[in-house]
Amino acid sequence: MVLEGIVSWFIAFLFEDKEFKERLIFSVGNKYKRISNRLDDYTRQEIDKEKNSKKYIPDIFVEATDVKEKLRYFSEPFIFFRKIIEQTDRELMGAYIVSVLKQVHYPLNEITYPKISLKSGNHESLKENVQSYAAYLGQKHTLTDVLIKEGGAGIKPELKSKIPSNFSHIHEYMYPNLQFYGSYEWAINDAKADLDLLLSKVVINKSIAGHGKTNLICDFTENFLLRKGHKCLYISARSLNHLGDQETIEQAIIRTLFTESDFQFSDILRLTKYDRNIDFLFILIDGINEHKNLPLFSAALEQFIQRCSEYKIKIILTCRSEYFDDRFGNLLHIHNCSVIDMDAWKYNNHIPDVHIETLLSRYFSEFKVELTVDNVDPDIMEDFNEDKLLLRIFCEAYENEQPAIYLDDLYKLEIFYKYYEKKIAAISGLENCLGVIISIMLADNQFSNIHLSRLPEGAKKVVENTVYENVIIKKDVIVNPDLAFGKTEVINFVYDEFRDFLIASKVINEWDRDNQSGIKKIQNLASPRKPIAEGLQRYLCLWSIKNKKVDLLNYLSTLDWFDTIFINSVFNTPDKLLSGFVFEMIRGIFNKNSSNTVRIVWRFIRRANIDAYPNLNISLLFDCLNALDDNEYQRIVVEALSERYDYETTHITHLCILIVQAFKEHRVLEGSVKNIIKLLAYLIGIADYSYLRVRQSELGKYPASQALDIVVEELGDDFVKEALTEVISNSHAESVKSSLISYLRLMGEE
Amino acid sequence: MQLFQLNEQRYLICLKKRYSWEHFKKLIKVSPGSYSEEFAKGLYSSVFYYSNNLGKEYRKFYQNEYENIYRFMFWRYGVSEEICAQLPSAASDFLAVFKAGWQMEDDDLLKDTFIAIFSELDK
């Protein structure tokens, strides 16, 4: 500092020119080094903060979405311009429509390829080259103008004469293929959007809550910008909450970065000017919707961006979609501004399995969930991939715990309950705040968009302090288009099912206090077509099963919707929580109608292993089947399983196909083998008359019998005989017994 | 030659080098102007023209970002570590991800033919 002061004084003495003076200080002093280091340090420190709060979990941002690639284009236009060209040229050359046009010998106009000569670091040269390639693409786009397009296929009639006469016959049979020009036009449109990104100075990544904006921007900062030596400043919009009415974002940034008043934003600008290693300074502002004063911040941000446009600065912002359209629409008018909608279909391509495994693995290790990916059922992995918020809730709920040795069931009530307990223990006032919100919802009969102003101050404070996590509650903006000043901030649950879980709990409390009042609430809220009916029904059943509320379940069983929801709820409850009254209710509804029967049969197939499910397992299904006489068996079981499963098969065939596949692929666990064979035995006489119509019916008229043959081939006679004999001695249905006796006799003869 | 299916449409192929069309044509002996020649051209182009040449792409655009080509292949293309471990030497070989537009997944014969041709080519 002393040396710097002396140098500065000496230079000031010698020269009046401030720019010259500063440039000399840049060369010989420490000032700009300190600014440069502070930018790096602050960015690293903020990224670490996001890691600690688990808003950013490294290595889970999977690249199949291509959003990160777009940010690369934006950040390194000189490098990635080449890639866009190579990629687009390749896609256009290989486009299906081009090959078909060649095959019909339609003369393709040769378009002169632009001369691309990019001078690295020269922005004018970049602009010129990008524009000339964009113009070339515009010309290439005209290729599809020769097609009929809407409502037809082929070359336009007036242009068909351009095909040489000796090849005109080819068009006659190939013309239907001349309607598949989508990939060609998409390639051009995508390339044009990519070219815009190269020249953009601002890019806004928007998506709905919980879709990984912070993860994207932190990953990009850490693993791209910092790793490649770019100068950048990562800052969350929340840390600019102190922005004053008369203050600029530049001043707020300086106040955030430096404790001393020696530096100004103009010093940062000078750094980008003097330091030849800096191509751009990247300023990344995460969660612009999370700023506490949106009108002030949005206006300040617009002015800030406008001022930065003159300098070597590129700005990356993230924002929740709902807020962006409403509160930050002003940014769209800024020149050279691009928006990436992370929820757009083109960014939601299928994620490779290896990335799903990595994603889960990283989540488990971050939250110290004692589970490895190898011990997660593939269906559950897919569920987690589809619903990252559920994955997050699961991991928080089971932090430092082992949820299961092998995870093949997701008991949501248990997950939510653990999560709720942990959250209310960790966040002071949260229990009360959630209670207030649920009470308002019930009182107003409105389950979304609760006005923030309705909350008492204490609850409001809890919302403000927790909302940025976007896990339990989120703030939204609603607009009344018929009113001036019609924009209102409201709160919603991020995860609707979690809201229903809490509402159901509140309704059960009401039932406990006063049955009649509880009934009124249930009739009002859980009847079909009511907004929260589906979730409420489910959680009423789940809570009642867990808490052994027989009286409430008896009441619920009088309601039309009960059976289906109850069956699903029983199987979505951990086995250890199930007891006798649940089994009696299952027995009671098993033969009430065919849809109950089918649903229960399908559910019990996954519970063939008695050791894994000591309480509720396939034995109960066998008890239900054994209790039926022949008439009941025909009327209930045969009728139910003969019904269509989908447009090409019946339940009986589909079920048997899956069982056969499982045996062939050796997926049937040892503890389940005998019970699965017994199930096939109970179903042996059920015919599938659709087998003649269905082209690929593998199992013929009697699928269970055929399936048994295959199992015999796989496992041998003895095992099957023993299982069949047990069914013969227990079943009361004569048709089952006689079919099995015949089957055994045939087995003996062979 | 090594071939790995990455998803329904995309395959990873590893060859000792990039082969010319002339070389390829000579090997499969198709008559000029025939349908077989068209088909062979399609096959050849998918692998050598319209594919993503991973080695080249890595060196040109991603070398400073990923510590090695395997990390790049994992994150950009979803190539698992198990597959990477089976590759001989990714940096020097022709390594490409291509789209099998001709429904190779549903047609075992086509897949076998593809493997036979490219194995012969890469002998």
Side-chain angles (χ1 to χ4, degrees), chain A residues 155-166:
Chain A
I155 308 265
K156 283 178 180 165
E158 65 271 25
L159 297 172
K160 268 203 272 186
S161 58
K162 287 192 171 184
I163 302 173
S165 56
N166 48 333

Side-chain angles (χ1 to χ4, degrees), chain A residues 258-272:
Chain A
F258 303 104
T259 44
E260 320 124 74
S261 55
D262 308 9
F263 301 110
Q264 291 177 343
F265 196 78
S266 53
D267 293 323
I268 296 181
L269 295 176
R270 279 196 201 94
L271 172 73
T272 64

Side-chain angles (χ1 to χ4, degrees), chain A residues 318-331:
Chain A
T318 71
C319 186
R320 285 246 316 269
S321 309
E322 311 90 304
Y323 276 81
F324 179 72
D325 301 338
D326 194 56
R327 294 296 177 102
F328 294 96
N330 55 331
L331 304 184

Side-chain angles (χ1 to χ4, degrees), chain A residues 438-698:
Chain A
I438 297 293
S439 298
I440 294 174
M441 286 181 163
L442 287 170
D444 295 4
N445 220 356
Q446 187 188 333
F447 304 96
S448 57
N449 299 334
I450 303 299
H451 285 218
L452 197 57
S453 56
R454 297 280 316 273
L455 265 55
E457 281 310 310
K460 237 187 245 176
K461 204 171 257 175
V462 175
V463 170
E464 294 292 353
N465 290 339
T466 56
V467 81
Y468 73 92
E469 278 191 33
N470 282 328
V471 179
I472 298 183
I473 26 187
K474 57 175 181 172
K475 274 205 293 186
D476 287 318
V477 175
I478 52 166
V479 184
N480 185 341
D482 301 327
L483 283 175
F485 318 112
K487 292 169 188 168
T488 318
E489 271 199 314
V490 293
I491 47 170
N492 281 303
F493 276 88
V494 175
Y495 206 74
D496 284 348
E497 235 182 299
F498 187 74
R499 172 201 63 192
D500 301 342
F501 154 89
L502 292 176
I503 291 177
S505 174
K506 196 92 173 166
V507 170
I508 292 176
N509 284 339
E510 189 66 19
W511 163 274
D512 287 343
R513 192 183 63 78
D514 174 3
N515 279 191
Q516 285 311 311
S517 167
I519 287 173
K520 262 191 202 160
K521 282 263 178 272
I522 292 166
Q523 284 172 344
N524 178 31
L525 301 172
S527 348
R529 286 185 293 282
K530 293 283 182 176
I532 57 161
E534 200 192 330
L536 183 59
Q537 291 165 3
R538 187 180 321 133
Y539 283 95
L540 281 173
C541 284
L542 286 167
W543 275 118
S544 305
I545 294 167
K546 179 183 165 86
N547 292 309
K548 302 185 175 41
K549 294 209 155 290
V550 185
D551 54 345
L552 179 55
L553 278 172
N554 280 335
Y555 164 69
L556 295 176
S557 69
T558 63
L559 303 173
D560 288 345
W561 51 261
F562 178 75
D563 290 359
T564 310
I565 305 290
F566 175 71
I567 295 167
N568 291 339
S569 302
V570 168
F571 288 91
N572 284 321
T573 299
D575 193 56
K576 63 178 184 210
L577 297 177
L578 298 171
S579 49
F581 74 95
V582 170
F583 309 151
E584 287 316 307
M585 289 187 100
I586 289 282
R587 270 183 231 274
I589 60 176
F590 175 74
N591 51 7
K592 211 165 132 188
N593 56 49
S594 60
S595 44
N596 282 359
T597 312
V598 161
R599 197 164 278 119
I600 290 172
V601 168
W602 275 110
R603 285 297 196 156
F604 271 119
I605 291 173
R606 286 178 70 99
R607 297 216 175 195
N609 189 346
I610 293 172
D611 296 333
Y613 299 98
N615 285 328
L616 182 73
N617 55 48
I618 203 165
S619 307
L620 183 67
L621 174 65
F622 296 154
D623 287 350
C624 293
L625 291 166
N626 289 335
L628 304 175
D629 64 21
D630 209 40
N631 278 339
E632 289 167 326
Y633 177 79
Q634 292 295 334
R635 184 172 52 79
I636 296 160
V637 182
V638 174
E639 195 188 310
L641 291 168
S642 306
E643 283 177 9
R644 305 211 69 73
Y645 173 81
D646 57 21
Y647 72 98
E648 63 175 13
T649 189
T650 56
H651 282 282
I652 180 67
T653 297
H654 188 59
L655 190 145
C656 292
I657 286 173
L658 292 185
I659 290 176
V660 166
Q661 270 174 3
F663 272 110
K664 282 185 173 171
E665 292 164 12
H666 309 289
R667 283 188 285 113
V668 183
L669 298 174
E670 206 181 324
S672 307
V673 172
K674 190 174 176 187
N675 285 330
I676 296 281
I677 297 171
K678 278 170 77 176
L679 178 65
L680 287 174
Y682 279 106
L683 309 180
I684 194 165
I686 303 176
D688 180 353
Y689 292 102
S690 69
Y691 80 102
L692 288 173
R693 280 183 281 117
V694 178
R695 195 167 52 91
Q696 282 182 322
S697 174
E698 296 169 36

Side-chain angles (χ1 to χ4, degrees), chain A residues 257-302:
Chain A
L257 286 178
F258 303 104
T259 44
E260 320 124 74
S261 55
D262 308 9
F263 301 110
Q264 291 177 343
F265 196 78
S266 53
D267 293 323
I268 296 181
L269 295 176
R270 279 196 201 94
L271 172 73
T272 64
K273 195 170 154 191
Y274 301 156
D275 190 338
R276 287 195 179 166
N277 293 322
I278 298 178
D279 45 357
F280 292 103
L281 166 68
F282 294 92
I283 298 180
L284 305 101
I285 308 180
D286 184 36
I288 56 173
N289 55 284
E290 287 167 13
H291 194 275
K292 69 172 186 188
N293 187 343
L294 290 180
L296 173 77
F297 187 61
S298 126
L301 194 57
E302 184 182 353

